[in-house]
Structure formats: C-alpha cells, structure tokens
Amino acid sequence: MNKSDRKMKIVAGMGTIDDYPAFVAAGADEIFVGYVPFWWMQKYGTRIPLNRREVLYYNVQIGSYSELMILQTMVEVYKIPVTITLNYLSYPKESYQDIILLMQECMQIGFYRYIIADPDFLAFLNVYQKEHAEFVPQIVISGEYGEMNEAMMQIFVKQGAERVIFPRQTCIDEIKEMISGTPSLEYEAFVLNEKCHYTGAYCNSLHCDELCHMCKIPYKFVEQHESEEERRVFEVINQEFEGIGASGCGLCALWQLKDAGISCLKVVSRGNSMECTVDDIKALRAALNILETSDREQEYCRRMKEKIFPQGCSRNCYYSFTASEDG
Amino acid sequence: MIPYAILAGKLIDKFTGAEAMDIRILDLAPDHFTYRVPFSFDVNSVGKIILFFFQYEQQEYCQVNLSDYEMNMLESGRFYKIYRVDVKNSQESYRQSVGKLSREYMAYMENKLYATDVELMSSMTSYPADQEDLFAMEEKSQIREWLRDADFTSDHNVIQDISCSILIDNNAKISEYLSVPFQEYSRLYWKEFGLKEDLFEKTEGIHIGNSFCIHLLPKEDILYQMLEKAKKEKVKITFLLPPVNQSQYGDIVEYLKKLYRFSVKKCMELTVEVNDYGLLTLLENDWWKNFHLSKGIFLHKHTKESRNHYRKKNSRIDKMQNYDWSDHSLYLPLYQMNTGTFCPVCGMIDQGRRDIMQRVGQCHQECMSSNFRYPAHLKMIGKYNSIFGVNRQLLCERKMTEHICKEYNLSWMVINL
C-alpha cells in the first residue's frame, strides 16, 4: 500500500444537532443524519419511515426545519458536511413526490447529499432529475441497497451516484474487486458498531420502539445429527466488553480497507450517547493516525491494539479474517 | 430533550395566519416549555403556537393551540435563540397533554432502561410474554400444525386464470420430484402437508432453483434432468436465482450461459426470476432471448413482519402485506422476513455464532438438517439462510389470493412449503 494514498474520512451518524460541534471536535470528517419532518410523521408515521430508525422515543432524527436551518449555520462555520439519510428499503410509490418535496426543502438551505437505499425510488429520482434540470441532489448508495457485485457498480455510475456504501456482509477481497472494476466512484465501509446477523437489504424486521429487532428474538439452534461427542466448544465474543466496537468493530481491517480502495469509514452511532460516539470518533482518528505512520499491516495492528485496546478488544469483528489472524 | 417525533411545535404568523416556523421543544413542564429557533428568526411576528403531542394508544397526534401565553428569550447563542413560553392556567388541554405525554415517555424510558426486551414488548403491545419459551417444532411438523385447523372449505371458488406451481428449491425436493411422475409428485406434495389435492385446480408448473442461497442451486446435470422431465411432462418451469456476491458472479454467469445453451438446444423457453439488479442488467442483453426475465421477490421489496399484529393499530397508515410476489408469481404461504448473505446456519456450525462475518466457502448444505427455531406463537421458520413467516390466510381465502394476483398481474401461485 502506498502511504501517500489519500486519507480515509470518518463518517459519523448524528441524532441531534447539539452533537455536531462535539463530533467535529473529535475528528469527524462528515456527518450523516435522519431528517423526518412533522408533516411526514402526520401523514405516514413510523409505519412508512423515511429511514431505518423507525422510532419515536429516541433522539435519532432531526425533526423540525428550524433545527435543519440551525445545523446549516453550524456547517457553514465548521465546514464539516452533512448527508441526509433516506435509507428505508422500499417507499410506497405514492410517497415519492413527498420525498422529492422533502429533498427540495433541504436543498433550499444547502443540504444536497442523500443516502438512498430503495432501488425503485432511485430509478424514479433519475427520471425526475432528467425532467427537472434544477434538481441536482448528490446520491450516496446506502449499504441497505444490496449492492454486492461489480455489475451493480456500473448501474450506479449510470445513475450518477457519487459514493457507494458497501453492505455490512461484504468481504474485503470482494470490495477490492468491485472497486478496481469501477474506480470512478467513492467507496465507504462500515467500521464501528451495530454489526447485524442478517443482510440489511433483505431485512424486514421492524426497527420500532416497542418491539426488539427480529435478530434479538430468542432462538434455538438445532443440529439434528450432532451427538454429545461432536459438540464443539466455540470461542465467543466478549459479552462483558463495553468499550470501543463492542457491537461491531473493523479497526484491525483499516489497512486492508484502505488497500482495497475504501476512502470513507462509517461509524454507526445514531441512538448512542454523544459521549460514546465522541469516543468512537477519537478512537478511529487515533487508529487512522497510526495507519498513516505504519509501514506494514502487522505493525499497524500491533500499535493500534496497544493504543486503543490495551486490555483486549470485543472480538466482535466486522471483517472476520482479523479474528483468525490475531488468535 | 424530548424527542421531536413525540412532541412537535409550530409558530403561526400573527399577520398572515400561516405557519412561520416549525420548532423543536427542548424542555417541557405543566406550566411552561422552552424551544429554539435559528438566530435569524424574528419571534415578534408570532401570534399563536400549536403543539402536537403524540398519543401512543391512538398512534396519532393531539393538537393543542396556545394563544394565552407569555414568551421570553432565555438564551441567545451563536447559532440559535432559546425562548421560554409560560402557559396561562386557562390552557387545561396543554396541562393534560403534558401529563399524558410525560407518563407515556417515562414509562417507555423506564422499560427501556430497566426491563428485558420481552418485558418492554409485552408492556407496549399485546405480545404474549408467557409464550416466549414455547419453541416451535421442526419445520414440517410446525407447518402441518399451523395448517391443521385451517378452514379450507370456507371459500370454494376456484381461482380462474391463475395456475399453481410447486417450489422445488433444495436437493431433497429435487430427488423426490425426479423419482415420480409430476402428477404423483404433486399429489404426494399436497398430502404431505395435509392439504386437499383440489386446493388449487391447476397445478401446471414448478419453480426451481433458489431465491435465497446460491449454494442451493441444483448442479448443472441435475438441473438439465429436471428441465427434460418437465418438458416431457408438459410442466412449465420458472428458474429462480438468488442475489449473487462478487466472488460468485463469474461462476453464476458461466452456469447461466450453459443453461442458456441447453435451453436453445432443447428448444425450451425459460422464465428466469432474478434477485439482484447486477445480474438483471446482464441478462437484459439481447443474446439471452430464450430467457424471459422476471424480477424476483428481493426486487419487490416491502416490509413483512409476523409480529406487526401485536402493535397498536393505526389503520390509516398501517398497510403491511405479509406475502411475497415477483413479476409473475405470488408465493404462499411462506414469506421471507430476513436473509443473511453470510449464512447464519454455517456461522453457528463453524464458529458457534450466527453473526459471523465470513462468507461460506465449501457449503455442505447443513441447513437441510440444522436450523433455527423460534417461539411458536411468532409463526417464524428458520430455513436455509433466512427467516420466513407463514400466511395461512392466503391458502384459506382464495378470493383474497385471486385479488392479490389480479392487483399485481400475477399468473402463478407458488406453493413454497
């Protein structure tokens, strides 16, 4: 890997505008937020959500336009851009015009970049853009779209997307292949928090206040042909661990992610406390600093672990090769 | 700070009566509240304030118009100004709404902080906490149990113009299909699940392949045997493809090229149901003209969840459809709820963890003998790399099934037991 390659950016999720200055100070390069105005809540509620934070009782969305205006004045001062997340998997067709209206409202005050997950809505947006030359949103393809092969990257180029966020369940060698086939796009990968058991694009779980996520429903795993002698003992994740990356961590993979062509690193954080996210951003910034000054991958991993995980890590790896490598 | 989704506000212009600004409420009390606006906003033009309190039971907002109040600036910062609004005693509706919202919010927070998931669910929904430990039986017994007391006689109308197809999506089913004539296979299939043979008058097709997992696609020689048998027996075929990862993409394209050449040689036309846009774009090229393309269930996304009926209802906006359809086919009674590209079954077997972030190398089809079981009341089945729900209503109420098929212009009902 060439050390002079461009630096990777930290992209952090934000729940309220009050967190923005703290995230910027901690080292975030970009922020993403949900914006769900009251008129949407009145018309569709969380039954047809604008993004995958389908909750009412958490501060995970910006709701009022006045807050968005305040945020824009902050962006003008701190110069750290904000992207609005519209990553629900499938909007009803009758809501498309409302989403366009929402995007127009946001663009009026300077928010041009949107994370989109719904393929049908993205196609609609493309047609709408062709018919309305003044409507020029910047499109980021969500990791919930289900992008998993190079042929899809070609579609995104044609659709005018700027960036692709790889889904959680993507191997780094596949990421590298897809990027090398379509180098004109910018690429983002998950690196901290909220690893999922299933694939976001195919997950129909309600993410609401009153029911836990589907993957948290109790289950029994039944191996029908397994005898007691065959029962194996597995190394499990450190359930007690409460620090950086407890719910998912890809810090060991930074070297390989950069080598693969990833330029943006996602810190999933909406719904977490401001303090936790600030710690996450600082840790990731420290890891990136170590990455920049390491000559080899092993050196990076050793120094990073000494600095960030002196007492051990969660072993809850986003990119599994790391678990087998460090034993 | 109160989440905006449960308490929103609007400032109304005293001259025009129009909405001047929507506002974020910061603090709330029975006699006052605070809010903030952008620094540039002039509150002198405000004539009225409207607050919207979310009511959990009704799943709607309650509107309170405030006209009798006193407003003073509390803080003027770099980016915004904060105002305090003291509400006069006459506004009883405000006081009551604050009380109700506070109780509901605090109850939620208390549950979220101190209760278990199941305690939270049962306190806010009709979720039966006492059935949490009653796990379902193995897949076939579970399905038979669910279908056992279903009333298939309530609706005798035979669905016209829509044919029935059987899903053959794993090696065990393939062996059964290849071992007997199709009519016999069909008869045994209905019998196995305790369904009446005449449930659907016309069983004319098979859907083969797999929409969820590439490792469950039939090997080439087996696939060709199936195709030849189907052609001989005049059974119509739809071939299902799952979403395809980058590392599998080259192999699947080769597999499809061979299938295409076979179909041309045998003068067969195939409907191919595709579940990712990359592959769909490839197959849309001219030279695959023997393949009739259909967008699969993953390209017809919508939320499906077996637990939705436990939630408080809002019939105005709650229109969840618990069934799967593709361009041509309605799938019943199972519908997909979740799928892991990295197989959760292999994860459990290889690493003891469902969430292992590792793609499947050599698949030994462990999902044929091992899988996940969930509390029986949820009517969820762990199958392959996915979780499915069951919609018994579609089997019982054929008029409803017919209505769905007509709505989406579907020509096949695919039984996917």
Side-chain angles (χ1 to χ4, degrees):
Chain A
M1 185 171 68
N2 184 351
K3 279 174 63 182
S4 64
D5 285 348
R6 62 183 170 177
K7 290 183 178 177
M8 290 198 281
K9 288 185 265 192
I10 298 174
V11 185
M14 186 174 83
T16 78
I17 63 169
D18 303 272
D19 297 347
Y20 180 85
F23 290 2
V24 172
D29 298 299
E30 283 182 23
I31 300 291
F32 61 95
V33 296
Y35 170 55
V36 185
F38 181 66
W39 59 262
W40 183 278
M41 289 302 297
Q42 263 190 318
K43 191 168 180 180
Y44 300 110
T46 53
R47 306 293 164 126
I48 302 171
L50 270 167
N51 58 56
R52 293 238 69 185
R53 303 283 162 157
E54 301 152 21
V55 297
L56 295 156
Y57 290 94
Y58 279 66
N59 279 311
V60 294
Q61 317 279 14
I62 291 173
S64 70
Y65 197 62
S66 57
E67 294 282 282
L68 211 56
M69 290 170 75
I70 295 167
L71 179 60
Q72 182 53 28
T73 57
M74 291 178 174
V75 173
E76 283 165 13
V77 171
Y78 293 103
K79 311 289 184 202
I80 295 298
V82 172
T83 306
I84 291 175
T85 310
L86 299 171
N87 71 338
Y88 189 53
L89 299 189
S90 72
Y91 300 109
K93 302 257 182 307
E94 58 268 26
S95 70
Y96 285 3
Q97 285 297 343
D98 285 332
I99 304 171
I100 295 282
L101 177 67
L102 178 141
M103 292 169 78
Q104 285 168 334
E105 282 180 359
C106 295
M107 285 158 74
Q108 272 174 18
I109 53 171
F111 294 97
Y112 288 96
R113 189 186 282 206
Y114 301 88
I115 300 172
I116 308 283
D118 179 351
D120 289 339
F121 178 66
L122 185 61
F124 173 83
L125 210 53
N126 256 248
V127 173
Y128 188 88
Q129 277 179 266
K130 282 177 189 147
E131 292 167 355
H132 300 80
E134 75 289 353
F135 184 76
V136 281
Q138 298 159 0
I139 302 301
V140 175
I141 305 297
S142 166
E144 313 287 67
Y145 182 103
E147 57 274 48
M148 48 203 320
N149 55 52
E150 196 185 317
M152 285 193 191
M153 303 301 142
Q154 303 297 334
I155 298 171
F156 301 145
V157 171
K158 283 183 190 156
Q159 289 180 323
E162 293 190 347
R163 183 187 297 175
V164 172
I165 306 169
F166 285 111
R168 288 174 171 89
Q169 296 191 333
T170 314
C171 295
I172 296 180
D173 58 344
E174 292 180 315
I175 288 177
K176 190 171 185 174
E177 247 183 83
M178 285 187 264
I179 293 177
S180 65
T182 317
S184 59
L185 293 170
E186 191 175 32
Y187 294 95
E188 183 172 323
F190 284 83
V191 75
L192 277 178
N193 307 328
E194 292 190 40
K195 206 178 78 173
C196 294
H197 293 204
Y198 289 88
T199 303
Y202 315 131
C203 172
N204 288 295
S205 173
L206 293 165
H207 287 176
C208 58
D209 295 295
E210 63 269 42
L211 295 169
C212 68
H213 293 192
M214 200 188 287
C215 50
K216 291 186 175 172
I217 290 172
Y219 61 83
K220 271 186 184 170
F221 184 65
V222 182
E223 285 184 88
Q224 289 180 353
H225 301 307
E226 189 188 57
S227 65
E228 276 306 312
E229 294 76 45
E230 289 170 321
R231 198 169 290 278
R232 289 146 289 170
V233 177
F234 298 108
E235 188 173 354
V236 294
I237 60 168
N238 184 354
Q239 302 279 6
E240 305 298 315
F241 187 87
E242 288 185 339
I244 303 295
S247 64
C249 178
L251 292 187
C252 286
L254 291 191
W255 183 283
Q256 293 202 22
L257 287 171
K258 186 170 183 180
D259 184 48
I262 291 293
S263 54
C264 305
L265 300 165
K266 184 184 282 296
V267 178
V268 185
S269 46
R270 286 193 293 146
N272 290 354
S273 73
M274 183 185 77
E275 293 77 12
C276 284
T277 304
V278 164
D279 288 347
D280 286 341
I281 296 169
K282 284 180 177 172
L284 182 52
R285 177 58 65 202
L288 286 173
N289 289 338
I290 295 168
L291 186 72
E292 292 304 316
T293 55
S294 298
D295 293 321
R296 291 181 306 122
E297 184 179 6
Q298 289 83 351
E299 180 196 347
Y300 159 70
C301 282
R302 180 185 53 76
R303 288 174 56 204
M304 183 275 293
K305 287 189 172 184
E306 279 173 9
K307 169 88 176 168
I308 299 168
F309 302 112
Q311 307 300 320
C313 68
S314 67
R315 307 194 60 79
N316 198 4
C317 305
Y318 251 111
Y319 303 95
S320 276
F321 73 95
T322 49
S324 57
E325 254 190 8
D326 65 359
Chain B
M1 201 155 39
I2 316 283
Y4 182 81
I6 58 169
L7 177 59
K10 286 181 181 177
L11 303 180
I12 305 299
D13 189 285
K14 66 180 160 194
F15 303 112
T16 65
E19 182 185 329
M21 181 66 71
D22 59 355
I23 49 168
R24 171 74 194 252
I25 311 299
L26 302 175
D27 295 317
L28 187 68
D31 59 348
H32 76 274
F33 63 91
T34 61
Y35 72 89
R36 67 182 165 199
V37 286
F39 194 78
S40 57
F41 184 76
D42 178 12
V43 296
N44 289 324
S45 63
V46 175
K48 192 168 78 174
I49 301 173
I50 304 176
L51 297 180
F52 298 89
F53 295 83
F54 184 72
Q55 305 173 99
Y56 183 73
E57 283 296 322
Q58 293 78 14
Q59 293 288 303
E60 294 280 7
Y61 290 91
C62 161
Q63 179 175 330
V64 175
N65 297 335
L66 300 177
S67 47
D68 194 9
Y69 61 82
E70 192 180 314
M71 185 160 69
N72 294 295
M73 190 163 71
L74 268 187
E75 188 184 320
S76 177
R78 188 176 180 189
F79 298 109
Y80 51 79
K81 294 176 286 191
I82 297 178
Y83 288 87
R84 175 182 165 121
V85 177
D86 286 283
V87 182
K88 300 288 169 60
N89 288 337
S90 56
Q91 291 266 240
E92 181 62 15
S93 58
Y94 169 80
R95 201 181 56 77
Q96 282 179 0
S97 297
V98 170
K100 188 168 186 289
L101 186 85
S102 303
R103 282 192 298 277
E104 288 181 355
Y105 183 51
M106 293 312 293
Y108 174 78
M109 291 308 294
E110 200 172 311
N111 271 317
K112 192 71 187 170
L113 289 171
Y114 304 114
T116 61
D117 280 346
V118 69
E119 286 167 346
L120 172 72
M121 290 194 287
S122 59
S123 72
M124 294 189 78
T125 69
S126 55
Y127 191 88
D130 57 336
Q131 293 178 42
E132 186 80 345
D133 297 328
L134 303 174
F135 281 82
M137 295 173 280
E138 59 84 26
E139 183 192 328
K140 281 186 182 170
S141 310
Q142 188 179 359
I143 289 171
R144 278 191 215 103
E145 180 71 17
W146 287 336
L147 298 180
R148 192 166 51 89
D149 58 344
D151 180 10
F152 297 120
T153 61
S154 63
D155 180 356
H156 287 289
N157 293 338
V158 172
I159 298 174
Q160 303 294 323
D161 307 323
I162 301 162
S163 300
C164 183
S165 177
I166 295 174
L167 177 68
I168 301 174
D169 62 350
N170 65 50
N171 283 338
K173 287 181 184 172
I174 290 170
S175 299
E176 286 166 14
Y177 166 72
L178 288 174
S179 65
V180 290
F182 179 67
Q183 290 305 321
E184 179 65 1
Y185 173 77
S186 176
R187 192 185 65 77
L188 292 170
Y189 183 87
W190 300 126
K191 197 176 167 189
E192 182 177 11
F193 293 103
L195 299 171
K196 291 185 177 172
E197 285 174 53
D198 65 347
L199 185 59
F200 299 101
E201 191 161 67
K202 297 185 288 184
T203 306
E204 299 179 326
I206 50 173
H207 278 52
I208 59 180
N210 195 292
S211 297
F212 310 100
C213 178
I214 200 162
H215 300 286
L216 292 170
L217 290 181
K219 290 199 164 42
E220 285 160 9
D221 55 334
I222 302 289
L223 175 61
Y224 303 155
Q225 276 184 51
M226 294 175 82
L227 295 177
E228 297 224 51
K229 180 174 187 279
K231 187 184 178 190
K232 198 171 154 190
E233 294 179 327
K234 295 188 170 48
V235 173
K236 292 172 185 163
I237 306 158
T238 301
F239 183 60
L240 309 178
L241 283 167
V244 181
N245 282 332
Q246 175 68 17
S247 58
Q248 301 155 332
Y249 192 75
D251 291 341
I252 202 73
V253 171
E254 283 307 309
Y255 179 96
L256 286 171
K257 279 180 181 170
K258 287 179 191 167
L259 174 61
Y260 184 79
R261 284 195 285 269
F262 179 85
S263 69
V264 170
K265 190 176 161 189
K266 299 287 178 183
C267 300
M268 298 173 80
E269 294 201 341
L270 272 184
T271 299
V272 179
E273 210 167 282
V274 187
N275 277 295
D276 84 59
Y277 281 101
L279 213 50
L280 184 66
T281 308
L282 174 89
L283 294 175
E284 278 169 349
N285 286 338
D286 282 348
W287 74 272
W288 303 88
K289 61 190 173 195
N290 259 32
F291 285 176
H292 301 291
L293 295 181
S294 167
K295 286 160 77 175
I297 61 155
F298 283 129
L299 307 187
H300 288 274
K301 291 180 177 181
H302 61 293
T303 303
K304 301 152 280 180
E305 247 266 27
S306 65
R307 297 174 300 165
N308 191 48
H309 68 277
Y310 291 131
R311 299 172 82 188
K312 302 284 182 199
K313 291 283 172 281
N314 183 327
S315 54
R316 185 175 61 80
I317 49 179
D318 195 359
K319 296 181 176 71
M320 194 173 285
Q321 298 160 306
N322 277 346
Y323 45 84
D324 279 324
W325 70 93
S326 67
D327 277 355
H328 296 111
S329 310
L330 172 69
Y331 289 85
L332 67 158
L334 303 185
Y335 55 93
Q336 179 269 358
M337 292 205 291
N338 223 331
T339 296
T341 319
F342 292 173
C343 179
V345 174
C346 290
M348 284 299 285
I349 289 171
D350 294 342
Q351 308 275 347
R353 287 168 59 181
R354 194 169 69 162
D355 65 337
I356 194 74
M357 301 300 258
Q358 198 167 300
R359 70 169 165 252
V360 178
Q362 285 292 313
C363 174
H364 303 292
Q365 305 203 352
E366 286 92 344
C367 58
M368 292 296 103
S369 55
S370 307
N371 225 312
F372 298 95
R373 293 182 197 170
Y374 300 94
H377 71 95
L378 293 173
K379 295 186 170 48
M380 284 165 61
I381 295 175
K383 189 176 179 182
Y384 312 143
N385 56 352
S386 301
I387 302 175
F388 293 86
V390 63
N391 185 333
R392 199 174 64 170
Q393 205 177 10
L394 288 180
L395 278 176
C396 299
E397 295 180 28
R398 277 171 270 178
K399 276 184 182 166
M400 176 194 273
T401 309
E402 186 174 24
H403 172 75
I404 293 166
C405 288
K406 283 185 176 162
E407 185 181 352
Y408 297 113
N409 196 24
L410 308 175
S411 43
W412 289 104
M413 290 179 301
V414 186
I415 308 300
N416 58 357
L417 290 167

